[in-house]
Amino acid sequence: MSSLQGEIERCGERIFALIDQHPDSIFSKAGYYQRMMNWSMRDEHFKVQMFRFVDVLASLRRSGDIVRHLREYFADMRDGFAPMMKVGLRAAGIAPSVTSFVLRRNVSGMARQFIAGRNPDDVMKTLRKRRSQNIGFTVDLLGEAVVSEPEADEYAARCLELLEGLAEQTRGWTDPLGAASDLFPVVNLSVKISALYSQMNPADPADAIAHLAPKLRPILRRARELGAFVNFDLESYAHKNTTLELFKTLFREKEFIDWPHAGIVIQAYLRDAEHDLCELINWARDRGMRFTVRLVKGAYWDYEKIQARQNGWVCPVFLQKPESDVNFETLSRILLENESIVTSAFGSHNVRSIAYAQAYAEQLGIDRSRFEFQLLYGMAGSIKLALVEMGYRVREYCPVGELLPGMSYLVRRLLENTSNEGFLKAKFSDNVSAAQLLRDPRSLIGGMRSVSSVESSPSLAAYSRNGASLETPPGDTYENAPLVNFVHRSNQEQMRTALREMRGRLGQKYPLVIDGQKIWTGSLINSINPSLPKQIVGSVTEAGIPEAEAAIKAARNAFDHWCRASVEHRAELLERVAGIMDRRRFELSALEVFEVGKSWAEADGDIREAIDFLLFYAQQMRLRGLPRLTQHVPGEESYQHYWPRGIALVIAPWNFPMAILTGMVSAALVTGNTVIMKPAEQSAVCGAMLMEMFEEAGVPAGVLNFLPGKGRVIGAHLVDHKDVDMIAFTGSREVGLRIWESAGKTRRGQRELKRVVCEMGGKNAVIIDSDADLDEAIVDSIYSAFGYQGQKCSALSRLIVLDENYDRVMKRLVEAAASLRVGNPEEPGITVGPVIDETAYRRMQETIEAGKAEATLAFQGKDLPPEGYFIPPTIFTDVKPEMRLSCEEIFGPILSVIRVRDLDEAIRVANDTDYALTGGFFSRSPANIERVKAELVAGNVYINRSCTGAVVGRHPFGGFKMSGGGTKAGGADYLLQFMIPRIVTENIMRHGFAPDTTPEFRAPFRWPPP
Ligand SMILES: Cc1cc2nc3c(=O)[nH]c(=O)nc-3n(C[C@H](O)[C@H](O)[C@H](O)COP(=O)(O)OP(=O)(O)OC[C@H]3O[C@@H](n4cnc5c(N)ncnc54)[C@H](O)[C@@H]3O)c2cc1C
């Protein structure tokens, strides 16, 4: 055993011995809370329901509501809970007000276990008590989710007030250890940085710092005057780099450069924590002044894992608990070795982690007074007392605030305390032995996939094919392409470079491509930048009727060989295009910023979706590519397979200029059709880029023809053409219905019934229930309504709010809308850019004027850029279901709010529309959620999340009624519309003899054989 390990064990055993002298449960409080926790640890379902119930309880005001929720969450509890639950629920039925009173009291008691006080005065009782135990404090103001700038300003004001109060009330308090007291001011404030600015965008740290620094300076200045200490807490990974950068920026400023009482958190569960810590230490040496690091493992482990999984990112946190433990020790070592410039605060309840720091400090000869241990209020009381007794400096982290803003903090604590991987449960609940708890975590790490860097994106190869096979059900195995994570500086830089290079290339001209030939007609369509209408992004050649005819001829000729090409050959073409798109990803995103006014993240989302369509449809086609036996019957074999329809005309919109175009084109091609691709005029350069990529990937001449032009000229001509076999259209209701009708007419010489795949708009509604989590509902509704300027067919247009919640929702909604950043989306953190063109701009202005005559203009943004088609976020209230604002599709940043009495009325209003595309519901009532899932008339129903942002394969997308033909882009059935099913049956019995078995799949029917 190494001498260090021996020393760690000695320190750890001493702590355990002292803990035994102050016997304590896992939680410092017994009774109701302890029972709940014990049950939670025994039964995962109970735990989920319990934490969800706790989460909603604080927002319920009426006892009837509390009892209803209690029933909804716990009525189906089985096993050991049944008798207890039955009694509880019966009591709730007889005396709801008593039950709700008891429940509230118990849950408040539970919250108070972790929340040290409601306000600065309240918290003083706790702090005085701790002082008598020689335990210091850091105070944290609860309230992390701010949705608007007034809320952020209020948080800043409360921080200042708290500082003043603490300084006043602790006057005369002295350091418990005496030695090195200059490093550890008595008053210590922990600040949540994200609570100070509502528009923090990981892609734009400079903007965040520009807004955060002015809010923090008065707090830091006052702290310095009062002799206090300020710590920057770390939150989710999305904000980590900005918080570190902010810290370094502020404390290099002249005013603070010589101030030692600043600290920041490092989260050891992050793979890049060591790199960040070393950079910080170098920064500090350069600055020439001490600072403090609170080393923790990290509080958002589950969240980070889910985020990474959903977005296809390399997971920023370690996946094995011992890896976090080992990293904690590595970082402890670095901290202690740099004691000359950094003061260490070890934030852990894990005795092994604590003992490691003690042993290593001992080895380096660092005095106990020069570092400290920090532990959370309400947890591991006996460890705190043990450490004090051993002569260490101990500080308690004391959250202050009301129950409601404290809920997410409370739920994090409950999760931590019941985690199977956590130290506290192992020690205090499972009674794991001291020897086991003190083992070197290095010995516990299992073998696993190594990840080179958090910044690296998984290669596209990992996503193509996705392991799908003929035996695997379609869709089940598809893994989406990753989004670009703009948290990483390298990605921000690549995007900036791409924008710069694209700016230098604006104004290029692009030809038609017919039968593999580049064609110039002498007539050009200019595509302009909606943020700067004088800027021409590019010009595409305009096709007329002769070119349309030529394209049909080319497509017809090419069809003969393309329809015979193997599925594998066609699928590989799509995969090659996906590879090219991935290589040109930033360039294409930059083009979208210029051509259609998308923000960085929206543009990247569009490219990701395009890549997904290519890979998903390639996979789906492989699954459908072989003739499949319909039934096993002796003596006969009957195989179903598919033929392509013929020539597909693809007419795409500008709002998802790469994704929708790519989706329709790739579906048509992979199924064996030849294609005439007509992009929207406003996004024709994106179309030209897609053509370029297909050419580079080797699409044969005539198989894909690029034909930009005026819809009413070539669009109409092609739709009516006898030789066009199918039309895939996404766009407005007006044009869609015309196509639907026109394609229904059979023309002279026409051989096929035309198939129309038709996706149109929506008048999408989101309902906010009376118990909804408003932090979530407001942020997601704002994003759904105003993200990409409301120009998504899935965008929120009607927000339906229950009476009971109306005033609270409206206050926060309007303030949140007012806080949005409107501007040229070349800047990374812009949420609202320009609408697409002058026609849209004028239509929006008219809609707003007309809206003022029928409803109340509750909010309209100001401070628009002087140039460009900018329409500010606009909110109308007092909107009635029969008004134009409620009925007509708007396709812009205009939100109508409809107030309703109850959920019955809300559902009625939501469904009372010509459209059925997306719909949403925010609620924490399981019964109401079930009801809305069953009753909301929409093609895509979203619960407790934004109603935009469908992901290929995960959320097959499309509506019905006047929103479309009910087909689902990105779904398993989508390709079927591009094909004709065919059955080939053969009697395989000869003179009463037939083979025993018939294979499930057979080779494609081809003649002559390949
Ligand atoms: C005073 C104080 C202040 C804090 N401030 C912050 C802060 O600002 N920001 C912040 O994010 N956290 C903060 N934390 C940390 C957090 O709230 C948890 O308390 C802490 O992570 C628990 O670690 P532990 O060493 O006490 O317990 P342990 O039981 O040893 O470790 C539990 C931790 O291990 C990690 N973990 C769990 N499962 C896995 C797994 N499968 N793979 C890898 N890692 C895993 C998680 O981080 C989990 O919290 C703070 C903690 C304290 C004590």
Side-chain angles (χ1 to χ4, degrees):
M1 189 197 302
S2 73
S3 63
L4 183 62
Q5 175 64 19
E7 188 55 31
I8 293 167
E9 287 177 13
R10 258 190 305 282
C11 293
E13 277 155 15
R14 175 83 184 117
I15 299 173
F16 283 129
L18 288 166
I19 288 175
D20 291 342
Q21 286 174 21
H22 308 277
D24 192 8
S25 72
I26 174 170
F27 321 111
S28 309
K29 200 170 172 182
Y32 177 83
Y33 173 70
Q34 178 124 36
R35 264 202 314 279
M36 290 299 135
M37 291 299 98
N38 288 339
W39 280 334
S40 298
M41 288 186 278
R42 259 178 30 212
D43 185 300
E44 190 60 28
H45 179 57
F46 177 81
K47 175 170 156 177
V48 170
Q49 297 300 85
M50 163 74 187
F51 291 3
R52 287 184 172 176
F53 180 67
V54 165
D55 175 54
V56 68
L57 185 67
S59 71
L60 303 176
R61 275 155 288 173
R62 287 193 301 257
S63 45
D65 286 339
I66 295 178
V67 170
R68 176 168 64 85
H69 282 77
L70 184 72
R71 284 213 179 93
E72 291 176 13
Y73 279 98
F74 296 106
D76 70 337
M77 279 296 145
R78 297 162 312 269
D79 308 331
F81 305 104
M84 184 276 297
M85 280 301 159
K86 269 199 200 112
V87 173
L89 293 172
R90 207 173 309 125
I94 298 163
S97 51
V98 176
T99 307
S100 54
F101 172 78
V102 172
L103 272 173
R104 261 187 190 287
R105 201 195 51 201
N106 283 340
V107 172
S108 303
M110 207 150 111
R112 268 197 296 279
Q113 157 110 8
F114 301 109
I115 299 175
R118 284 219 162 92
N119 50 47
D121 287 339
D122 199 22
V123 78
M124 282 314 299
K125 276 183 246 145
T126 307
L127 305 189
R128 283 196 194 96
K129 187 162 171 215
R130 292 294 176 268
R131 185 182 178 221
S132 69
Q133 295 168 318
N134 280 336
I135 295 174
F137 66 86
T138 177
V139 174
D140 151 70
L141 264 181
L142 290 169
E144 33 208 281
V146 296
V147 305
S148 66
E149 285 312 275
E151 289 181 13
D153 292 342
E154 192 193 324
Y155 181 84
R158 284 174 52 221
C159 280
L160 265 175
E161 194 190 323
L162 185 60
L163 260 181
E164 298 286 354
L166 290 172
E168 170 71 30
Q169 303 259 12
T170 60
R171 200 169 292 148
W173 288 23
T174 49
D175 184 75
L177 295 192
S181 60
D182 54 321
L183 300 181
F184 302 94
V186 169
V187 174
N188 184 314
L189 178 73
S190 289
V191 181
K192 291 253 175 312
I193 298 302
S194 74
L196 288 166
Y197 181 39
S198 64
Q199 304 299 305
M200 268 179 97
N201 183 324
D204 201 351
D207 168 77
I209 291 168
H211 284 84
L212 287 162
K215 292 189 194 176
L216 275 159
R217 279 188 203 106
I219 298 173
L220 301 178
R221 199 168 291 140
R222 193 64 191 131
R224 188 169 191 178
E225 285 162 9
L226 295 169
F229 180 99
V230 176
N231 189 75
F232 288 14
D233 283 5
L234 274 201
E235 303 163 72
S236 65
Y237 188 68
H239 297 322
K240 188 243 334 169
N241 286 346
T242 302
T243 308
L244 285 166
E245 208 49 52
L246 174 72
F247 184 81
K248 291 179 194 164
T249 306
L250 273 168
F251 293 104
R252 280 301 299 235
E253 288 179 1
K254 199 162 162 242
E255 187 178 0
F256 304 114
I257 195 163
D258 57 347
W259 189 40
H261 296 144
I264 189 161
V265 166
I266 287 283
Q267 295 157 313
Y269 66 6
L270 293 181
R271 296 174 196 277
D272 45 16
E274 184 174 345
H275 171 262
D276 290 336
L277 178 59
C278 292
E279 273 202 347
L280 260 179
I281 289 172
N282 289 339
W283 163 86
R285 293 208 182 282
D286 199 40
R287 175 184 179 233
M289 178 50 60
R290 293 187 76 76
F291 76 115
T292 297
V293 165
R294 178 199 299 151
L295 180 62
V296 303
K297 282 169 201 156
Y300 306 82
W301 186 81
D302 300 77
Y303 172 82
E304 300 297 359
K305 219 177 79 163
I306 292 169
Q307 281 290 108
R309 185 81 179 84
Q310 287 195 353
N311 296 319
W313 294 332
V314 173
C315 191
V317 294
F318 289 112
L319 297 177
Q320 295 185 64
K321 166 73 167 59
E323 290 182 293
S324 295
D325 293 335
V326 168
N327 203 34
F328 191 93
E329 296 185 2
T330 307
L331 302 176
S332 300
R333 190 182 266 264
I334 295 173
L335 281 172
L336 290 167
E337 284 168 358
N338 288 281
E339 202 280 332
S340 58
I341 191 76
V342 55
T343 305
S344 305
F346 300 100
S348 175
H349 309 114
N350 183 325
V351 173
R352 159 80 202 193
S353 305
I354 293 170
Y356 182 93
Q358 292 177 342
Y360 199 62
E362 198 74 21
Q363 204 171 74
L364 295 181
I366 299 172
D367 189 78
R368 288 177 189 197
S369 64
R370 294 190 67 80
F371 58 94
E372 68 182 4
F373 292 100
Q374 296 192 356
L375 294 92
L376 299 177
Y377 175 80
M379 287 167 64
S382 57
I383 301 182
K384 289 171 201 159
L385 296 179
L387 293 173
V388 170
E389 206 159 321
M390 289 164 81
Y392 288 101
R393 193 177 275 288
V394 178
R395 190 178 298 278
E396 191 170 59
Y397 184 95
C398 299
V400 178
E402 293 298 330
L403 195 55
L404 195 57
M407 269 310 134
S408 51
Y409 178 81
L410 173 61
V411 170
R412 274 206 302 279
R413 292 291 74 80
L414 297 180
L415 275 173
E416 186 174 335
N417 281 339
T418 52
S419 159
N420 283 330
E421 308 234 39
F423 174 86
L424 288 178
K425 178 167 178 278
K427 162 70 187 150
F428 295 100
S429 181
D430 301 345
N431 298 318
V432 174
S433 70
Q436 272 185 301
L437 292 171
L438 291 174
R439 272 181 308 179
D440 185 344
R442 283 156 199 82
S443 65
L444 304 173
I445 297 178
M448 69 178 315
R449 203 161 47 103
S450 75
V451 175
S452 49
S453 153
V454 183
E455 295 216 15
S456 66
S457 295
S459 82
L460 204 59
Y463 296 91
S464 53
R465 310 240 184 162
N466 289 289
S469 74
L470 289 167
E471 285 72 43
T472 337
D476 276 8
T477 56
Y478 185 74
E479 269 200 47
N480 294 90
L483 286 166
V484 166
N485 189 350
F486 284 111
V487 161
H488 302 305
R489 234 170 281 152
S490 55
N491 288 338
Q492 294 164 16
E493 276 155 22
Q494 285 195 74
M495 187 64 188
R496 267 201 201 90
T497 308
L499 284 165
R500 208 169 36 246
E501 286 175 2
M502 185 54 69
R503 208 175 295 121
R505 275 171 40 197
L506 295 180
Q508 285 187 12
K509 298 187 173 58
Y510 302 89
L512 311 177
V513 180
I514 300 172
D515 208 10
Q517 304 298 313
K518 310 243 178 296
I519 312 277
W520 303 91
T521 61
S523 176
L524 291 172
I525 300 173
N526 289 336
S527 176
I528 55 109
N529 178 351
S531 302
L532 301 165
K534 289 193 199 100
Q535 191 174 60
I536 293 177
V537 175
S539 307
V540 294
T541 304
E542 182 181 352
I545 304 295
E547 290 75 32
E549 286 295 330
I552 288 182
K553 198 163 158 231
R556 178 59 64 205
N557 289 339
F559 182 71
D560 284 345
H561 64 85
W562 186 245
C563 71
R564 282 164 219 277
S566 72
V567 164
E568 191 53 35
H569 181 77
R570 300 194 307 242
E572 281 174 4
L573 172 73
L574 265 53
E575 285 165 353
R576 283 197 298 278
V577 177
I580 298 167
M581 226 176 239
D582 191 45
R583 192 189 76 219
R584 294 178 64 176
R585 187 155 185 167
F586 289 97
E587 173 200 345
L588 297 170
S589 292
L591 171 61
E592 291 200 6
V593 171
F594 286 109
E595 192 171 30
V596 298
K598 285 214 181 226
S599 68
W600 290 21
E602 296 284 347
D604 176 68
D606 190 53
I607 307 303
R608 183 255 201 143
E609 192 177 348
I611 294 174
D612 267 340
F613 276 132
L614 290 159
L615 299 178
F616 181 73
Y617 290 150
Q619 182 216 48
Q620 292 295 311
M621 193 57 211
R622 285 196 178 95
L623 291 166
R624 304 212 179 254
L626 293 178
R628 182 174 201 153
L629 193 69
T630 55
Q631 264 186 5
H632 286 278
V633 283
E636 185 180 282
E637 58 173 41
S638 202
Y639 282 96
Q640 172 160 351
H641 77 129
Y642 297 93
W643 270 352
R645 290 184 172 274
I647 298 182
L649 169 64
V650 169
I651 304 177
W654 47 263
N655 62 338
F656 289 91
M658 199 57 78
I660 297 183
L661 185 67
T662 304
M664 293 193 290
V665 164
S666 58
L669 288 177
V670 82
T671 45
N673 302 281
T674 51
V675 173
I676 298 172
M677 157 166 90
K678 190 192 121 21
E681 290 149 51
Q682 297 90 333
S683 61
V685 179
C686 283
M689 290 296 142
L690 184 62
M691 187 69 222
E692 245 180 55
M693 290 185 280
F694 266 100
E695 286 184 301
E696 184 186 336
V699 69
V703 169
L704 176 62
N705 302 280
F706 177 55
L707 207 73
K710 300 251 160 58
R712 53 179 192 284
V713 182
I714 58 158
H717 180 78
L718 289 165
V719 165
D720 292 348
H721 204 287
K722 68 179 175 53
D723 286 332
V724 167
D725 299 302
M726 72 167 296
I727 300 145
F729 167 82
T730 305
S732 70
R733 170 176 172 175
E734 187 198 346
V735 180
L737 293 186
R738 224 182 300 136
I739 291 176
W740 192 268
E741 189 183 325
S742 186
K745 289 190 189 131
T746 314
R747 323 271 161 180
R748 188 192 295 263
Q750 183 174 331
R751 292 258 173 100
E752 289 285 343
L753 293 177
K754 280 184 196 175
R755 166 62 74 102
V756 181
V757 175
C758 185
E759 300 297 331
M760 301 178 290
K763 189 70 194 171
N764 310 306
V766 165
I767 302 169
I768 300 187
D769 204 355
S770 54
D771 67 351
D773 178 341
L774 292 193
D775 292 347
E776 212 169 71
I778 301 292
V779 170
D780 289 345
S781 298
I782 287 281
Y783 173 69
S784 302
F786 302 122
Y788 191 40
Q789 299 78 272
Q791 300 178 113
K792 302 177 189 177
C793 45
S794 54
L796 164 60
S797 176
R798 297 175 298 147
L799 186 66
I800 301 174
V801 184
L802 266 62
D803 221 7
E804 195 181 331
N805 238 3
Y806 187 81
D807 293 337
R808 280 190 301 153
V809 169
M810 285 316 297
K811 179 173 184 300
R812 296 191 77 189
L813 185 81
V814 166
E815 286 178 354
S819 305
L820 288 173
R821 292 183 66 201
V822 182
N824 185 334
E826 277 185 64
E827 270 190 59
I830 292 293
T831 311
V832 184
V835 295
I836 189 68
D837 59 13
E838 190 172 349
T839 312
Y841 178 74
R842 299 220 174 286
R843 202 180 59 244
M844 288 311 119
Q845 285 186 323
E846 281 160 20
T847 306
I848 291 169
E849 284 315 307
K852 285 182 195 165
E854 58 178 7
T856 306
L857 180 67
F859 169 75
Q860 185 159 42
K862 299 183 193 72
D863 300 331
L864 300 180
E867 268 187 277
Y869 302 127
F870 289 93
I871 295 287
T874 303
I875 299 177
F876 282 103
T877 50
D878 298 323
V879 177
K880 301 284 175 256
E882 62 285 358
M883 289 178 181
R884 265 181 70 190
L885 279 171
S886 270
C887 301
E888 291 176 10
E889 198 190 357
I890 295 175
F891 226 61
I894 300 171
L895 177 65
S896 299
V897 182
I898 304 172
R899 181 177 187 152
V900 293
R901 264 188 326 277
D902 53 23
L903 189 58
D904 293 340
E905 191 184 349
I907 295 174
R908 220 171 26 249
V909 169
N911 291 345
D912 184 18
T913 164
D914 290 350
Y915 299 91
L917 189 48
T918 69
F921 185 45
F922 287 92
S923 174
R924 285 180 285 189
S925 155
N928 289 354
I929 289 174
E930 275 313 297
R931 178 176 175 193
V932 167
K933 281 180 181 170
E935 293 193 350
L936 200 62
V937 180
N940 287 66
V941 174
Y942 295 104
I943 309 294
N944 288 329
R945 52 151 285 167
S946 72
C947 67
T948 62
V951 174
V952 172
R954 200 177 301 168
H955 318 117
F957 183 79
F960 50 102
K961 289 166 78 177
M962 287 302 135
S963 294
T967 52
K968 290 287 187 194
D973 308 331
Y974 188 69
L975 295 185
L976 296 180
Q977 306 163 96
F978 292 78
M979 298 187 284
I980 297 163
R982 191 166 172 263
I983 303 288
V984 178
T985 306
E986 182 185 348
N987 174 2
I988 51 173
M989 190 165 67
R990 300 276 189 279
H991 304 293
F993 161 77
D996 283 346
T997 54
T998 318
E1000 176 89 19
F1001 295 97
R1002 55 149 287 158
F1005 300 109
R1006 287 170 77 185
W1007 193 261

